[in-house]
Amino acid sequence: DVQLVESGGGLVKPGGSLRLSCAASGFTFRSYYMNWVRQAPGKGLEWVSSISSGSTYIYHADSVRGRFNISRDNAKNSLFLQMNSLTAEDTAVYYCARVFDTMNRANWYFDLWGRGTLVTVSS
Amino acid sequence: DIQMTQSPSTLSVSVGDRVTIACRASQSISSWLAWYQQKPGKAPRLLIYKASSLESGVPSRFSGSGSGTEFTLTISSLQPDDFATYYCQQYDVLWTFGQGTKVEIK
């Protein structure tokens, strides 16, 4: 099956760090741009970070730039999000999501999502 | 940054109703807009891409229109499975989501 499975969420104290992982299967992971999207409890979706297929291009939302870092290991079909200096505002379900096709400008939407992993920042 | 504004925030409707959700971009995004459906506790599901293209497997009662800064998602006849929250997303410059529209039972 084509799927994305996130892991690594949990309870962390303010100022702490956490590393999320996303395991991809059923498709050629190394060919796709990948992203992290988060959703705070009862709130909407917020794009967080993006990484190109070969890790050449990395983008972060202003809200996490300087604190979060996205990376990937194509040999292990895995995506990561290193989160540092966490605050209560980072509490959310974190989803990994795939960009459908970056070779065609019309196709830069997210066509595959994982089920998410919950990060709770609280003392 | 491109801002996306959806309206209304909540829609109270009945099965069989025609539903229209609006999405406005803070600057022109051509047709680089997608619509997603999300149910509680679930990941978003892609419905529409390139403003009006229907994703494979999505019922034909869903349709999208618009270009530039004004976009619309229409559900021609609401079904029980359609009660959910809907998000627009621009992908012209990075990615930005609208704040969501909850479609609830009247």
Side-chain angles (χ1 to χ4, degrees), chain A residues 45-110:
Chain A
L45 301 169
E46 179 188 15
W47 169 76
V48 173
S49 301
S50 176
I51 186 168
S52 62
S53 55
S55 302
T56 302
Y57 302 103
I58 288 176
Y59 306 98
H60 294 289
D62 290 345
S63 58
V64 306
R65 189 173 296 118
R67 300 187 300 123
F68 289 13
N69 187 45
I70 188 172
S71 63
R72 64 192 295 163
D73 184 338
N74 287 340
K76 295 183 178 179
N77 293 333
S78 294
L79 176 72
F80 306 102
L81 186 67
Q82 177 66 42
M83 304 186 296
N84 301 323
S85 303
L86 286 162
T87 73
E89 286 66 44
D90 297 315
T91 293
V93 173
Y94 285 75
Y95 296 99
C96 63
R98 182 181 79 174
V99 174
F100 175 61
D101 171 22
T102 52
M103 298 302 290
N104 184 333
R105 189 64 188 87
N107 295 339
W108 283 63
Y109 50 86
F110 300 165

Short mmCIF file of all heavy atoms in Angstrom, two decimals, chain A residues 45-110:
data_model
loop_
_atom_site.label_atom_id
_atom_site.label_comp_id
_atom_site.label_asym_id
_atom_site.label_seq_id
_atom_site.Cartn_x
_atom_site.Cartn_y
_atom_site.Cartn_z
N LEU A 45 -5.35 23.94 9.35
CA LEU A 45 -4.10 23.37 8.89
C LEU A 45 -3.06 24.48 8.68
O LEU A 45 -3.38 25.56 8.17
CB LEU A 45 -4.33 22.63 7.56
CG LEU A 45 -5.33 21.49 7.61
CD1 LEU A 45 -5.67 21.03 6.19
CD2 LEU A 45 -4.79 20.33 8.43
N GLU A 46 -1.83 24.19 9.05
CA GLU A 46 -0.73 25.13 8.87
C GLU A 46 0.45 24.40 8.24
O GLU A 46 0.98 23.46 8.84
CB GLU A 46 -0.30 25.75 10.20
CG GLU A 46 0.87 26.72 10.07
CD GLU A 46 1.43 27.19 11.40
OE1 GLU A 46 1.12 26.57 12.44
OE2 GLU A 46 2.18 28.17 11.41
N TRP A 47 0.86 24.84 7.05
CA TRP A 47 2.07 24.29 6.46
C TRP A 47 3.28 24.69 7.31
O TRP A 47 3.40 25.84 7.72
CB TRP A 47 2.24 24.79 5.03
CG TRP A 47 3.58 24.48 4.46
CD1 TRP A 47 4.01 23.26 4.01
CD2 TRP A 47 4.69 25.35 4.35
NE1 TRP A 47 5.33 23.35 3.61
CE2 TRP A 47 5.77 24.63 3.81
CE3 TRP A 47 4.88 26.71 4.66
CZ2 TRP A 47 7.01 25.20 3.57
CZ3 TRP A 47 6.12 27.29 4.41
CH2 TRP A 47 7.16 26.54 3.87
N VAL A 48 4.18 23.74 7.55
CA VAL A 48 5.32 23.96 8.44
C VAL A 48 6.65 23.99 7.68
O VAL A 48 7.41 24.95 7.79
CB VAL A 48 5.38 22.87 9.54
CG1 VAL A 48 6.66 22.99 10.36
CG2 VAL A 48 4.15 22.94 10.43
N SER A 49 6.93 22.90 6.95
CA SER A 49 8.24 22.78 6.31
C SER A 49 8.14 21.91 5.06
O SER A 49 7.27 21.06 4.96
CB SER A 49 9.26 22.14 7.26
OG SER A 49 9.42 22.87 8.44
N SER A 50 9.10 22.15 4.14
CA SER A 50 9.15 21.39 2.90
C SER A 50 10.59 21.07 2.54
O SER A 50 11.50 21.86 2.83
CB SER A 50 8.49 22.19 1.79
OG SER A 50 8.60 21.51 0.55
N ILE A 51 10.81 19.92 1.90
CA ILE A 51 12.15 19.53 1.47
C ILE A 51 12.06 18.89 0.09
O ILE A 51 11.15 18.09 -0.17
CB ILE A 51 12.80 18.59 2.50
CG1 ILE A 51 14.25 18.29 2.13
CG2 ILE A 51 12.00 17.30 2.67
CD1 ILE A 51 15.04 17.62 3.26
N SER A 52 12.97 19.26 -0.79
CA SER A 52 12.97 18.70 -2.13
C SER A 52 13.46 17.26 -2.13
O SER A 52 13.98 16.76 -1.12
CB SER A 52 13.83 19.55 -3.06
OG SER A 52 15.18 19.55 -2.61
N SER A 53 13.32 16.60 -3.27
CA SER A 53 13.61 15.17 -3.34
C SER A 53 15.06 14.84 -2.96
O SER A 53 15.31 13.84 -2.29
CB SER A 53 13.30 14.64 -4.74
OG SER A 53 14.01 15.40 -5.71
N GLY A 54 15.98 15.71 -3.35
CA GLY A 54 17.38 15.48 -3.05
C GLY A 54 17.92 16.33 -1.92
O GLY A 54 19.13 16.43 -1.74
N SER A 55 17.00 16.96 -1.17
CA SER A 55 17.35 17.80 -0.01
C SER A 55 18.03 19.11 -0.39
O SER A 55 18.54 19.81 0.47
CB SER A 55 18.24 17.05 1.00
OG SER A 55 17.60 15.87 1.46
N THR A 56 18.02 19.45 -1.68
CA THR A 56 18.66 20.69 -2.11
C THR A 56 17.89 21.92 -1.64
O THR A 56 18.48 22.93 -1.24
CB THR A 56 18.76 20.72 -3.64
OG1 THR A 56 19.51 19.59 -4.08
CG2 THR A 56 19.43 22.01 -4.12
N TYR A 57 16.58 21.84 -1.70
CA TYR A 57 15.73 22.98 -1.36
C TYR A 57 14.95 22.67 -0.08
O TYR A 57 14.27 21.66 0.02
CB TYR A 57 14.77 23.30 -2.49
CG TYR A 57 15.48 23.60 -3.79
CD1 TYR A 57 15.54 22.65 -4.81
CD2 TYR A 57 16.12 24.82 -3.97
CE1 TYR A 57 16.20 22.92 -5.98
CE2 TYR A 57 16.80 25.09 -5.15
CZ TYR A 57 16.84 24.14 -6.15
OH TYR A 57 17.51 24.41 -7.32
N ILE A 58 15.05 23.59 0.88
CA ILE A 58 14.36 23.46 2.15
C ILE A 58 13.66 24.77 2.45
O ILE A 58 14.25 25.85 2.29
CB ILE A 58 15.34 23.08 3.28
CG1 ILE A 58 15.78 21.62 3.12
CG2 ILE A 58 14.73 23.32 4.65
CD1 ILE A 58 16.84 21.17 4.12
N TYR A 59 12.42 24.68 2.89
CA TYR A 59 11.63 25.86 3.22
C TYR A 59 10.95 25.64 4.57
O TYR A 59 10.51 24.54 4.88
CB TYR A 59 10.57 26.11 2.15
CG TYR A 59 11.10 26.20 0.75
CD1 TYR A 59 11.05 25.09 -0.10
CD2 TYR A 59 11.65 27.38 0.27
CE1 TYR A 59 11.55 25.16 -1.39
CE2 TYR A 59 12.15 27.46 -1.03
CZ TYR A 59 12.10 26.34 -1.85
OH TYR A 59 12.58 26.42 -3.13
N HIS A 60 10.85 26.73 5.33
CA HIS A 60 10.15 26.67 6.61
C HIS A 60 9.19 27.84 6.72
O HIS A 60 9.46 28.94 6.23
CB HIS A 60 11.14 26.73 7.77
CG HIS A 60 12.05 25.55 7.88
ND1 HIS A 60 11.62 24.30 8.27
CD2 HIS A 60 13.37 25.43 7.65
CE1 HIS A 60 12.62 23.47 8.27
NE2 HIS A 60 13.72 24.11 7.90
N ALA A 61 8.08 27.62 7.41
CA ALA A 61 7.18 28.73 7.74
C ALA A 61 7.87 29.68 8.71
O ALA A 61 8.74 29.26 9.50
CB ALA A 61 5.89 28.18 8.35
N ASP A 62 7.46 30.93 8.67
CA ASP A 62 8.06 31.93 9.56
C ASP A 62 7.92 31.52 11.03
O ASP A 62 8.81 31.80 11.84
CB ASP A 62 7.39 33.30 9.35
CG ASP A 62 7.74 33.92 8.02
OD1 ASP A 62 8.71 33.46 7.38
OD2 ASP A 62 7.03 34.88 7.62
N SER A 63 6.82 30.86 11.36
CA SER A 63 6.53 30.51 12.75
C SER A 63 7.50 29.50 13.33
O SER A 63 7.59 29.36 14.56
CB SER A 63 5.10 29.97 12.86
OG SER A 63 4.92 28.84 12.02
N VAL A 64 8.25 28.78 12.48
CA VAL A 64 9.15 27.75 12.99
C VAL A 64 10.59 27.95 12.52
O VAL A 64 11.50 27.22 12.98
CB VAL A 64 8.68 26.34 12.58
CG1 VAL A 64 7.24 26.11 13.02
CG2 VAL A 64 8.84 26.11 11.08
N ARG A 65 10.82 28.91 11.63
CA ARG A 65 12.16 29.10 11.09
C ARG A 65 13.15 29.40 12.21
O ARG A 65 12.88 30.22 13.10
CB ARG A 65 12.17 30.21 10.04
CG ARG A 65 13.49 30.32 9.28
CD ARG A 65 13.39 31.32 8.13
NE ARG A 65 12.43 30.88 7.13
CZ ARG A 65 11.32 31.56 6.80
NH1 ARG A 65 11.04 32.70 7.42
NH2 ARG A 65 10.51 31.11 5.88
N GLY A 66 14.29 28.72 12.18
CA GLY A 66 15.30 28.91 13.21
C GLY A 66 15.15 27.95 14.39
O GLY A 66 16.06 27.82 15.20
N ARG A 67 13.99 27.31 14.48
CA ARG A 67 13.75 26.35 15.58
C ARG A 67 13.57 24.93 15.07
O ARG A 67 13.95 23.95 15.74
CB ARG A 67 12.51 26.75 16.38
CG ARG A 67 12.57 28.12 17.02
CD ARG A 67 11.37 28.36 17.93
NE ARG A 67 10.11 28.28 17.20
CZ ARG A 67 9.12 27.44 17.51
NH1 ARG A 67 9.25 26.58 18.52
NH2 ARG A 67 7.99 27.44 16.81
N PHE A 68 12.94 24.78 13.92
CA PHE A 68 12.68 23.46 13.34
C PHE A 68 13.61 23.22 12.16
O PHE A 68 13.99 24.17 11.44
CB PHE A 68 11.23 23.38 12.84
CG PHE A 68 10.17 23.33 13.91
CD1 PHE A 68 10.45 23.62 15.24
CD2 PHE A 68 8.88 22.98 13.58
CE1 PHE A 68 9.47 23.59 16.22
CE2 PHE A 68 7.88 22.93 14.54
CZ PHE A 68 8.19 23.25 15.86
N ASN A 69 13.93 21.96 11.92
CA ASN A 69 14.71 21.60 10.75
C ASN A 69 14.14 20.33 10.12
O ASN A 69 13.96 19.32 10.81
CB ASN A 69 16.18 21.38 11.10
CG ASN A 69 17.01 21.18 9.86
OD1 ASN A 69 16.87 21.89 8.86
ND2 ASN A 69 17.88 20.18 9.89
N ILE A 70 13.88 20.39 8.83
CA ILE A 70 13.37 19.23 8.09
C ILE A 70 14.54 18.53 7.41
O ILE A 70 15.48 19.20 6.94
CB ILE A 70 12.30 19.66 7.06
CG1 ILE A 70 11.62 18.45 6.43
CG2 ILE A 70 12.90 20.59 6.01
CD1 ILE A 70 10.41 18.82 5.55
N SER A 71 14.50 17.22 7.37
CA SER A 71 15.54 16.44 6.69
C SER A 71 14.93 15.14 6.20
O SER A 71 13.80 14.82 6.53
CB SER A 71 16.72 16.18 7.62
OG SER A 71 16.32 15.40 8.74
N ARG A 72 15.71 14.40 5.43
CA ARG A 72 15.23 13.13 4.91
C ARG A 72 16.37 12.17 4.69
O ARG A 72 17.52 12.59 4.52
CB ARG A 72 14.44 13.34 3.61
CG ARG A 72 15.26 13.89 2.46
CD ARG A 72 14.37 14.36 1.31
NE ARG A 72 13.64 13.25 0.70
CZ ARG A 72 12.58 13.42 -0.09
NH1 ARG A 72 12.10 14.63 -0.33
NH2 ARG A 72 11.97 12.36 -0.63
N ASP A 73 16.06 10.89 4.69
CA ASP A 73 17.02 9.83 4.37
C ASP A 73 16.38 8.98 3.28
O ASP A 73 15.53 8.13 3.57
CB ASP A 73 17.33 9.01 5.62
CG ASP A 73 18.40 7.95 5.37
OD1 ASP A 73 18.60 7.57 4.20
OD2 ASP A 73 19.01 7.50 6.34
N ASN A 74 16.76 9.24 2.04
CA ASN A 74 16.12 8.53 0.93
C ASN A 74 16.44 7.04 0.93
O ASN A 74 15.64 6.23 0.45
CB ASN A 74 16.51 9.16 -0.41
CG ASN A 74 15.84 10.51 -0.63
OD1 ASN A 74 14.82 10.83 0.00
ND2 ASN A 74 16.41 11.30 -1.52
N ALA A 75 17.57 6.67 1.46
CA ALA A 75 17.94 5.24 1.53
C ALA A 75 17.01 4.49 2.48
O ALA A 75 16.79 3.29 2.32
CB ALA A 75 19.38 5.09 1.96
N LYS A 76 16.47 5.22 3.46
CA LYS A 76 15.59 4.59 4.45
C LYS A 76 14.13 5.01 4.27
O LYS A 76 13.30 4.72 5.14
CB LYS A 76 16.07 4.93 5.85
CG LYS A 76 17.44 4.36 6.18
CD LYS A 76 17.85 4.65 7.61
CE LYS A 76 19.20 4.01 7.92
NZ LYS A 76 19.65 4.29 9.30
N ASN A 77 13.84 5.70 3.17
CA ASN A 77 12.46 6.13 2.89
C ASN A 77 11.84 6.87 4.07
O ASN A 77 10.68 6.61 4.45
CB ASN A 77 11.59 4.93 2.51
CG ASN A 77 12.00 4.30 1.19
OD1 ASN A 77 12.55 4.97 0.31
ND2 ASN A 77 11.74 3.01 1.06
N SER A 78 12.60 7.78 4.62
CA SER A 78 12.17 8.45 5.85
C SER A 78 12.32 9.96 5.77
O SER A 78 13.28 10.47 5.20
CB SER A 78 12.95 7.93 7.05
OG SER A 78 12.66 6.57 7.29
N LEU A 79 11.36 10.63 6.38
CA LEU A 79 11.34 12.08 6.52
C LEU A 79 11.41 12.41 8.01
O LEU A 79 10.85 11.67 8.82
CB LEU A 79 10.05 12.64 5.93
CG LEU A 79 9.78 14.14 6.05
CD1 LEU A 79 10.70 14.91 5.11
CD2 LEU A 79 8.31 14.42 5.72
N PHE A 80 12.07 13.53 8.34
CA PHE A 80 12.23 13.89 9.74
C PHE A 80 11.89 15.36 9.96
O PHE A 80 11.98 16.18 9.05
CB PHE A 80 13.67 13.64 10.20
CG PHE A 80 14.15 12.24 9.94
CD1 PHE A 80 14.99 11.97 8.87
CD2 PHE A 80 13.74 11.19 10.76
CE1 PHE A 80 15.42 10.69 8.61
CE2 PHE A 80 14.16 9.90 10.51
CZ PHE A 80 15.00 9.64 9.42
N LEU A 81 11.53 15.65 11.21
CA LEU A 81 11.37 17.05 11.63
C LEU A 81 11.99 17.17 13.01
O LEU A 81 11.47 16.61 13.98
CB LEU A 81 9.91 17.47 11.66
CG LEU A 81 9.68 18.96 11.95
CD1 LEU A 81 10.21 19.82 10.80
CD2 LEU A 81 8.20 19.25 12.21
N GLN A 82 13.11 17.88 13.09
CA GLN A 82 13.75 18.17 14.37
C GLN A 82 13.17 19.48 14.90
O GLN A 82 13.26 20.51 14.24
CB GLN A 82 15.27 18.31 14.20
CG GLN A 82 16.00 18.68 15.48
CD GLN A 82 15.93 17.58 16.53
OE1 GLN A 82 16.06 16.40 16.23
NE2 GLN A 82 15.70 17.97 17.77
N MET A 83 12.55 19.40 16.07
CA MET A 83 11.88 20.55 16.65
C MET A 83 12.59 20.95 17.94
O MET A 83 12.69 20.15 18.87
CB MET A 83 10.42 20.22 16.93
CG MET A 83 9.66 19.74 15.70
SD MET A 83 7.91 19.51 16.01
CE MET A 83 7.96 18.20 17.21
N ASN A 84 13.08 22.18 17.99
CA ASN A 84 13.79 22.70 19.17
C ASN A 84 13.07 23.91 19.74
O ASN A 84 12.19 24.49 19.07
CB ASN A 84 15.23 23.09 18.78
CG ASN A 84 16.02 21.93 18.22
OD1 ASN A 84 15.89 20.80 18.67
ND2 ASN A 84 16.84 22.21 17.22
N SER A 85 13.42 24.27 20.95
CA SER A 85 12.85 25.46 21.61
C SER A 85 11.33 25.47 21.52
O SER A 85 10.70 26.47 21.16
CB SER A 85 13.42 26.74 20.99
OG SER A 85 14.84 26.75 21.06
N LEU A 86 10.73 24.36 21.86
CA LEU A 86 9.28 24.21 21.71
C LEU A 86 8.52 25.07 22.71
O LEU A 86 8.95 25.26 23.85
CB LEU A 86 8.90 22.73 21.86
CG LEU A 86 9.28 21.86 20.66
CD1 LEU A 86 9.29 20.38 21.04
CD2 LEU A 86 8.32 22.10 19.51
N THR A 87 7.38 25.58 22.25
CA THR A 87 6.48 26.36 23.10
C THR A 87 5.08 25.74 23.02
O THR A 87 4.82 24.87 22.16
CB THR A 87 6.40 27.82 22.65
OG1 THR A 87 5.65 27.90 21.43
CG2 THR A 87 7.78 28.42 22.44
N ALA A 88 4.19 26.23 23.86
CA ALA A 88 2.82 25.71 23.88
C ALA A 88 2.15 25.89 22.52
O ALA A 88 1.27 25.10 22.14
CB ALA A 88 2.02 26.40 24.97
N GLU A 89 2.56 26.92 21.79
CA GLU A 89 1.96 27.19 20.48
C GLU A 89 2.34 26.14 19.43
O GLU A 89 1.77 26.11 18.34
CB GLU A 89 2.37 28.57 19.98
CG GLU A 89 1.66 29.75 20.68
CD GLU A 89 2.04 29.86 22.14
OE1 GLU A 89 3.25 29.74 22.47
OE2 GLU A 89 1.13 30.06 22.98
N ASP A 90 3.29 25.28 19.75
CA ASP A 90 3.68 24.20 18.84
C ASP A 90 2.86 22.93 19.08
O ASP A 90 3.03 21.95 18.35
CB ASP A 90 5.17 23.89 18.99
CG ASP A 90 6.05 25.06 18.61
OD1 ASP A 90 5.79 25.68 17.56
OD2 ASP A 90 7.00 25.36 19.36
N THR A 91 2.00 22.95 20.09
CA THR A 91 1.15 21.80 20.35
C THR A 91 0.21 21.58 19.18
O THR A 91 -0.55 22.48 18.79
CB THR A 91 0.33 22.03 21.64
OG1 THR A 91 1.22 22.06 22.75
CG2 THR A 91 -0.69 20.91 21.84
N ALA A 92 0.26 20.39 18.59
CA ALA A 92 -0.52 20.13 17.38
C ALA A 92 -0.35 18.67 16.97
O ALA A 92 0.55 17.98 17.44
CB ALA A 92 -0.04 21.02 16.23
N VAL A 93 -1.22 18.25 16.07
CA VAL A 93 -0.99 17.02 15.33
C VAL A 93 -0.13 17.39 14.12
O VAL A 93 -0.43 18.35 13.41
CB VAL A 93 -2.32 16.38 14.85
CG1 VAL A 93 -2.04 15.19 13.93
CG2 VAL A 93 -3.15 15.96 16.05
N TYR A 94 0.95 16.64 13.94
CA TYR A 94 1.87 16.90 12.84
C TYR A 94 1.67 15.81 11.78
O TYR A 94 1.80 14.62 12.08
CB TYR A 94 3.31 16.92 13.33
CG TYR A 94 3.63 18.20 14.07
CD1 TYR A 94 3.15 18.41 15.37
CD2 TYR A 94 4.40 19.20 13.49
CE1 TYR A 94 3.42 19.59 16.05
CE2 TYR A 94 4.68 20.38 14.16
CZ TYR A 94 4.19 20.56 15.43
OH TYR A 94 4.46 21.74 16.10
N TYR A 95 1.38 16.26 10.56
CA TYR A 95 1.19 15.35 9.44
C TYR A 95 2.38 15.46 8.47
O TYR A 95 2.87 16.57 8.24
CB TYR A 95 -0.05 15.72 8.63
CG TYR A 95 -1.38 15.61 9.36
CD1 TYR A 95 -1.99 16.73 9.90
CD2 TYR A 95 -2.03 14.39 9.44
CE1 TYR A 95 -3.22 16.64 10.53
CE2 TYR A 95 -3.27 14.29 10.07
CZ TYR A 95 -3.84 15.41 10.61
OH TYR A 95 -5.07 15.31 11.24
N CYS A 96 2.80 14.35 7.89
CA CYS A 96 3.68 14.46 6.73
C CYS A 96 2.80 14.31 5.49
O CYS A 96 1.76 13.63 5.52
CB CYS A 96 4.82 13.45 6.75
SG CYS A 96 4.38 11.73 6.71
N ALA A 97 3.21 14.97 4.43
CA ALA A 97 2.41 15.01 3.22
C ALA A 97 3.31 15.07 1.99
O ALA A 97 4.37 15.71 2.03
CB ALA A 97 1.47 16.22 3.24
N ARG A 98 2.88 14.45 0.93
CA ARG A 98 3.65 14.37 -0.30
C ARG A 98 3.14 15.36 -1.34
O ARG A 98 1.92 15.52 -1.52
CB ARG A 98 3.54 12.94 -0.85
CG ARG A 98 4.32 12.66 -2.10
CD ARG A 98 4.11 11.22 -2.56
NE ARG A 98 2.85 11.04 -3.26
CZ ARG A 98 2.49 9.91 -3.86
NH1 ARG A 98 3.29 8.86 -3.83
NH2 ARG A 98 1.33 9.83 -4.49
N VAL A 99 4.07 16.01 -2.04
CA VAL A 99 3.68 16.82 -3.20
C VAL A 99 3.51 15.89 -4.39
O VAL A 99 4.38 15.07 -4.66
CB VAL A 99 4.73 17.90 -3.52
CG1 VAL A 99 4.38 18.63 -4.81
CG2 VAL A 99 4.84 18.89 -2.36
N PHE A 100 2.41 16.03 -5.08
CA PHE A 100 2.09 15.08 -6.15
C PHE A 100 3.15 15.01 -7.23
O PHE A 100 3.63 13.94 -7.60
CB PHE A 100 0.73 15.42 -6.76
CG PHE A 100 0.37 14.58 -7.95
CD1 PHE A 100 0.23 13.21 -7.82
CD2 PHE A 100 0.16 15.15 -9.20
CE1 PHE A 100 -0.10 12.41 -8.91
CE2 PHE A 100 -0.17 14.37 -10.29
CZ PHE A 100 -0.30 12.99 -10.15
N ASP A 101 3.55 16.17 -7.77
CA ASP A 101 4.45 16.14 -8.93
C ASP A 101 5.07 17.51 -9.11
O ASP A 101 4.41 18.44 -9.55
CB ASP A 101 3.66 15.74 -10.17
CG ASP A 101 4.46 15.89 -11.46
OD1 ASP A 101 5.71 15.90 -11.39
OD2 ASP A 101 3.84 15.99 -12.54
N THR A 102 6.35 17.63 -8.81
CA THR A 102 6.99 18.94 -8.94
C THR A 102 7.53 19.20 -10.35
O THR A 102 8.10 20.25 -10.60
CB THR A 102 8.12 19.09 -7.91
OG1 THR A 102 8.99 17.95 -8.01
CG2 THR A 102 7.56 19.17 -6.51
N MET A 103 7.36 18.26 -11.24
CA MET A 103 7.79 18.47 -12.63
C MET A 103 6.76 19.29 -13.40
O MET A 103 7.06 19.84 -14.46
CB MET A 103 8.01 17.12 -13.32
CG MET A 103 9.10 16.29 -12.68
SD MET A 103 10.69 17.14 -12.65
CE MET A 103 11.09 17.15 -14.39
N ASN A 104 5.56 19.38 -12.87
CA ASN A 104 4.47 20.12 -13.51
C ASN A 104 3.95 21.14 -12.52
O ASN A 104 3.47 20.78 -11.45
CB ASN A 104 3.36 19.16 -13.92
CG ASN A 104 2.24 19.85 -14.68
OD1 ASN A 104 2.00 21.04 -14.51
ND2 ASN A 104 1.55 19.09 -15.50
N ARG A 105 4.02 22.41 -12.88
CA ARG A 105 3.64 23.49 -11.96
C ARG A 105 2.23 23.35 -11.43
O ARG A 105 1.91 23.78 -10.34
CB ARG A 105 3.79 24.84 -12.68
CG ARG A 105 3.64 26.04 -11.76
CD ARG A 105 4.74 26.05 -10.75
NE ARG A 105 4.53 27.06 -9.74
CZ ARG A 105 3.82 26.85 -8.63
NH1 ARG A 105 3.27 25.67 -8.41
NH2 ARG A 105 3.66 27.82 -7.75
N ALA A 106 1.38 22.73 -12.23
CA ALA A 106 -0.03 22.58 -11.85
C ALA A 106 -0.22 21.55 -10.74
O ALA A 106 -1.31 21.45 -10.18
CB ALA A 106 -0.86 22.18 -13.06
N ASN A 107 0.80 20.80 -10.41
CA ASN A 107 0.63 19.63 -9.54
C ASN A 107 1.35 19.72 -8.21
O ASN A 107 1.70 18.71 -7.61
CB ASN A 107 1.10 18.39 -10.28
CG ASN A 107 0.24 18.06 -11.49
OD1 ASN A 107 -0.91 18.50 -11.57
ND2 ASN A 107 0.80 17.33 -12.41
N TRP A 108 1.58 20.94 -7.73
CA TRP A 108 2.31 21.11 -6.48
C TRP A 108 1.39 21.04 -5.26
O TRP A 108 1.67 21.66 -4.24
CB TRP A 108 3.07 22.44 -6.49
CG TRP A 108 4.31 22.41 -7.32
CD1 TRP A 108 4.40 22.21 -8.66
CD2 TRP A 108 5.65 22.60 -6.87
NE1 TRP A 108 5.71 22.25 -9.08
CE2 TRP A 108 6.51 22.51 -8.01
CE3 TRP A 108 6.22 22.87 -5.63
CZ2 TRP A 108 7.89 22.65 -7.91
CZ3 TRP A 108 7.61 23.02 -5.53
CH2 TRP A 108 8.41 22.90 -6.67
N TYR A 109 0.34 20.27 -5.35
CA TYR A 109 -0.55 20.09 -4.21
C TYR A 109 -0.17 18.82 -3.47
O TYR A 109 0.66 18.04 -3.91
CB TYR A 109 -2.00 20.03 -4.69
CG TYR A 109 -2.21 19.05 -5.82
CD1 TYR A 109 -2.46 17.71 -5.56
CD2 TYR A 109 -2.14 19.47 -7.15
CE1 TYR A 109 -2.62 16.81 -6.59
CE2 TYR A 109 -2.31 18.57 -8.19
CZ TYR A 109 -2.54 17.24 -7.90
OH TYR A 109 -2.70 16.35 -8.92
N PHE A 110 -0.81 18.59 -2.31
CA PHE A 110 -0.50 17.45 -1.47
C PHE A 110 -1.49 16.32 -1.75
O PHE A 110 -2.69 16.45 -1.48
CB PHE A 110 -0.58 17.83 0.01
CG PHE A 110 0.37 18.93 0.43
CD1 PHE A 110 0.19 19.57 1.63
CD2 PHE A 110 1.43 19.32 -0.37
CE1 PHE A 110 1.06 20.59 2.04
CE2 PHE A 110 2.30 20.33 0.02
CZ PHE A 110 2.12 20.97 1.22
#
